[in-house]
């Protein structure tokens, strides 16, 4: 074996070891679990939606350092009175961001609907204030007593629009109108369909009001009022 061949073999072995070490570290890094948007933080109530918690500035810097593009978020158009209300909330709570709020509210809308349809009162307890929870829980109990269950599907949320916003006595409230497509089915105790169809989605318009104390350390908003549009 000539000296040139020996040198080339040593170089190839060295590059192979370097490549293995780099790929090994990347594989170990990629196997780390990624915390979901609605995963609980230490001390947070399980399942509570972070409806209006603004991303930390240092978190955005970390994303840029990793070369990740921030997800585009849009703010629905709002009448001047609502814009003034949103500005009041932002002035009282520096963490508040309208775009983040709308994004979180869409998730909360789905979570609350699905919890109600499944009859999950524990989940509803974490997402709603006392009055709304009592109304939902009463409807769930009546459904169970009748031996019926809902097999509904939220197909899509077509639109989210601001209706009202403001702060009164340190309590912020924001009202949103959700326009969505829902496939609704009611089944009896034997699982047979007694009303509705999963093949035909119907348009639903819900007007929901979320609220929280601007002085609270808890960033979570609760559903305080529901109505139909």
């Amino acid at each position: 074996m000539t000296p040139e061949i020996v040198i080339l073999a040593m170089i190839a072995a060295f590059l192979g070891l370097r490549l293995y070490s780099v790929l090994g570290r990347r594989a170990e890094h990629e196997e780390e679990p990624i915390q979901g948007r609605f995963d609980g933080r230490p001390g947070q109530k399980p399942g509570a939606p972070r409806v209006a918690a603004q991303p930390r500035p240092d978190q955005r810097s970390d994303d840029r350092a990793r070369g990740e593009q921030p997800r585009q978020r849009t703010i629905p158009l709002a009448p001047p009175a609502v814009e003034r209300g949103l500005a009041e909330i932002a002035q009282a709570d520096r963490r508040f961001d309208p775009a983040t709020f709308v994004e979180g509210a869409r998730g909360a809308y789905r979570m609350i609907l699905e919890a109600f349809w499944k009859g999950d009162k524990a989940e509803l307890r974490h997402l709603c204030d006392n009055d709304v929870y009592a109304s939902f829980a009463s409807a769930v109990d009546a459904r169970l007593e009748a031996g019926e269950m809902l097999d509904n599907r939220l197909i899509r949320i077509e639109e989210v629009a601001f209706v009202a916003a403001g702060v009164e006595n340190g309590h912020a409230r924001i009202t949103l109108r959700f326009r969505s497509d829902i496939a609704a089915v009611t089944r009896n105790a034997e699982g047979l369909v007694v009303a509705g169809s999963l093949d035909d989605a119907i348009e639903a318009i819900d007007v929901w009001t979320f609220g929280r104390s601007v002085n609270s350390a808890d960033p979570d908003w609760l559903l305080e009022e529901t109505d139909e549009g």
Side-chain angles (χ1 to χ4, degrees), residues 37-154:
R37 184 171 181 277
F38 286 92
D39 289 349
R41 308 180 311 281
Q44 181 185 357
K45 300 183 295 295
R50 295 289 304 279
V51 178
Q54 186 176 5
R56 303 187 313 273
D58 58 334
Q59 182 178 359
R60 292 194 294 266
S61 299
D62 291 343
D63 291 342
R64 287 194 296 268
R66 291 193 298 267
E68 299 176 3
Q69 294 297 323
R71 182 166 50 182
Q72 294 296 323
R73 296 171 297 161
T74 58
I75 305 175
L77 295 177
V82 176
E83 290 183 350
R84 289 194 294 270
L86 294 173
E88 291 176 359
I89 297 174
Q91 184 176 8
D93 182 359
R94 298 297 182 182
R95 296 173 299 182
F96 176 73
D97 173 67
T100 306
F101 177 88
V102 171
E103 183 181 355
R106 292 172 67 95
Y109 179 73
R110 178 181 293 275
M111 292 173 66
I112 292 171
L113 285 181
E114 292 179 349
F116 174 69
W117 294 336
K118 292 185 297 184
D120 189 346
K121 291 193 288 186
E123 180 79 349
L124 292 171
R125 173 74 279 177
H126 296 310
L127 304 172
C128 309
D129 76 350
N130 293 333
D131 291 340
V132 174
Y133 168 74
S135 177
F136 281 154
S138 177
V140 169
D141 291 340
R143 194 167 69 222
L144 292 176
E145 185 176 353
E148 296 178 343
M149 54 185 174
L150 299 181
D151 186 15
N152 295 359
R153 303 285 190 277
L154 177 59

Side-chain angles (χ1 to χ4, degrees), residues 147-153 183-200:
E148 296 178 343
M149 54 185 174
L150 299 181
D151 186 15
N152 295 359
R153 303 285 190 277
V185 168
T186 301
R187 300 182 184 273
N188 60 18
E190 287 73 36
L192 300 177
V193 176
V194 296
S197 170
L198 289 178
D199 296 328
D200 299 317

